[in-house]
Amino acid sequence: MPSAMTVYLVGGAVRDELLDLPVKDKDWVVTGSTPEAMLAQGYQQVGKQFPVFLHPETKQEYALARKERKQGTGYKGFICDFSPDISLEQDLERRDLTINAIAKSSDGTLIDPFNGQSDLKSRVIRHVSNAFVEDPLRVLRVARFMARFAEFEFTIAPETQMLMREIAASGELSTLTPERVWRETEKALQSPDASLYFDVLKNCGALDTLFPNLVYPNAPKTSLEPLDKYSRWAIITNRTPLSEIEKLNQRLRVPNNYCWFSEQTKAFIEGYALPLTADQWEQWLTRIAAVKKPQPYSKLSALLADLTQTDFKGWQNLRQAIAGISAQTLIKQGFSGAELGQALKRARIDAIASLNTPLVFDEHQQSTLQDS
């Protein structure tokens, strides 16, 4: 006979609490219950492959304890058993890492059958069982945890590294959908140490399969700490040819903001060589809509200033120089049609040329520099 319904806090919430980190999301495992019993208590079912329910008040996720058996390839090839006699220990055994396989009962007791607390103290990322190899997504999850918890200086257990290399060599990584790969990657990019994610994937032989033609690592590496997630993706990809960045973004179905920053960063690096003439600056500023997009331009120019080792203030001055030029003013002066467009362009070029900034050179100055 199954035991009475019991609820446990599990996974990341317990792990983060033990690391003295803020707990953002709470996940719960329920033993001794059935889908029908959960629905009768007002829970809303959201899982399809296995029953996951939303609490009627908190809307937190409650999953029935389950076992999994691999059948087929990829991360979807599992058959789940969520009968009410599945124990908490059986549910924890199917999890990826020991540090994620700790549960907490309602009275605060920790249930830790796989010594996750010890691995937390030792700062070791270790798989729970050899079933780790059945889900290729776990390679990315280990890499992401290494980036997320970089401040704690975790290491990956040698036996776990071996299994990650085994997964990479098996071809199973190619079964992952672009959405799943990008989801893990985007989470990693939220960390200042996002480069660790790519380092781990490279070291286990997974990088080329997941990110074909990505030129990595960057040499020299640029600090990702002061950047946002969009700029971090631009830095990670900035040594890759623009045509390959575009293919990679399309392959992974990367959201537009990431595409814009990575592609515009590389387009400038590939397409321009400092110093630029005022005419070249005007063309570039117009192409990226610098006046209409002040915030994206500020982030992009900060990134380019870092990569080209130039003064960020000079990049800001470029936009400011043309921001106040109005078509309405020129219309009042009698310009219209094609002549209006030409007049706008000339006014912007003149404004840029008048700047006292080391980033801007007129043709005579550029020629002088090239001759010296």
Side-chain angles (χ1 to χ4, degrees), residues 29-44:
V29 159
V30 180
T31 61
S33 188
T34 64
E36 294 76 17
M38 298 293 287
L39 293 172
Q41 294 182 59
Y43 288 81
Q44 178 185 358

Side-chain angles (χ1 to χ4, degrees), residues 29-279:
V29 159
V30 180
T31 61
S33 188
T34 64
E36 294 76 17
M38 298 293 287
L39 293 172
Q41 294 182 59
Y43 288 81
Q44 178 185 358
Q45 185 170 346
V46 293
K48 294 181 180 179
Q49 290 184 309
F50 48 84
V52 176
F53 302 83
L54 297 182
H55 191 280
E57 296 177 0
T58 66
K59 303 304 179 185
Q60 293 174 355
E61 289 191 356
Y62 287 66
L64 295 183
R66 69 184 189 271
K67 294 191 299 184
E68 294 174 342
R69 179 166 56 86
K70 179 77 168 180
Q71 180 175 329
T73 60
Y75 65 95
K76 290 185 177 180
F78 292 92
I79 295 178
C80 296
D81 178 1
F82 45 86
S83 58
D85 58 351
I86 301 294
S87 68
L88 174 65
E89 287 74 13
Q90 288 174 310
D91 181 272
L92 295 175
E93 186 177 10
R94 68 171 178 80
R95 295 174 182 268
D96 52 1
L97 305 172
T98 61
I99 63 174
N100 297 331
I102 309 170
K104 184 178 181 181
S105 66
S106 58
D107 64 3
T109 301
L110 294 176
I111 299 91
D112 183 17
F114 304 103
N115 301 313
Q117 294 176 87
S118 175
D119 283 340
L120 279 176
K121 292 177 182 177
S122 302
R123 304 298 194 240
V124 175
I125 291 180
R126 190 191 316 275
H127 63 282
V128 171
S129 73
N130 286 338
F132 179 90
V133 299
E134 296 179 349
D135 185 355
L137 190 68
R138 289 174 169 177
V139 172
L140 285 80
R141 283 175 56 81
V142 170
R144 174 166 64 83
F145 286 132
M146 284 292 288
R148 179 181 173 188
F149 298 131
E151 64 181 293
F152 296 102
E153 299 183 346
F154 273 87
T155 60
I156 304 173
E159 60 270 29
T160 303
Q161 290 181 322
M162 182 180 68
L163 292 183
M164 291 170 67
R165 287 192 289 269
E166 180 181 325
I167 294 172
S170 72
E172 283 256 314
L173 289 171
S174 62
T175 67
L176 294 173
T177 65
E179 291 83 358
R180 295 299 293 272
V181 174
W182 179 253
R183 190 177 306 160
E184 294 297 316
T185 303
E186 184 172 26
K187 290 177 181 178
L189 289 170
Q190 295 176 18
S191 167
D193 299 284
S195 59
L196 277 176
Y197 172 80
F198 297 90
D199 290 342
V200 170
L201 295 177
K202 182 178 177 66
N203 290 339
C204 74
L207 194 67
D208 290 343
T209 299
L210 298 169
F211 304 93
N213 298 322
L214 173 69
V215 179
Y216 184 84
N218 300 324
K221 285 190 177 181
T222 301
S223 173
L224 303 182
E225 184 170 356
L227 304 175
D228 65 9
K229 57 185 180 181
Y230 308 113
S231 299
R232 287 171 188 151
W233 179 239
I235 288 291
I236 292 295
T237 58
N238 88 86
R239 290 183 60 83
T240 305
L242 177 59
S243 60
E244 295 301 331
I245 294 175
E246 292 171 341
K247 291 177 185 177
L248 184 60
N249 285 338
Q250 184 176 17
R251 170 191 172 94
L252 295 179
R253 300 172 190 173
V254 175
N256 289 337
N257 282 343
Y258 293 93
C259 293
W260 191 85
F261 277 100
S262 59
E263 293 170 15
Q264 293 299 342
T265 298
K266 189 59 180 183
F268 186 91
I269 298 298
E270 279 191 3
Y272 298 92
L274 295 175
L276 271 62
T277 64
D279 182 69

Side-chain angles (χ1 to χ4, degrees), residues 340-355:
L340 174 61
Q342 293 171 0
L344 275 170
K345 182 178 179 69
R346 174 47 55 191
R348 289 192 291 260
I349 292 173
D350 290 345
I352 294 170
S354 67
L355 286 173

Side-chain angles (χ1 to χ4, degrees), residues 257 260-261 288-290 292-302:
N257 282 343
W260 191 85
F261 277 100
I288 66 169
K292 294 180 179 179
K293 299 179 178 180
Q295 290 185 334
Y297 175 76
S298 180
K299 293 179 181 180
L300 177 63
S301 59

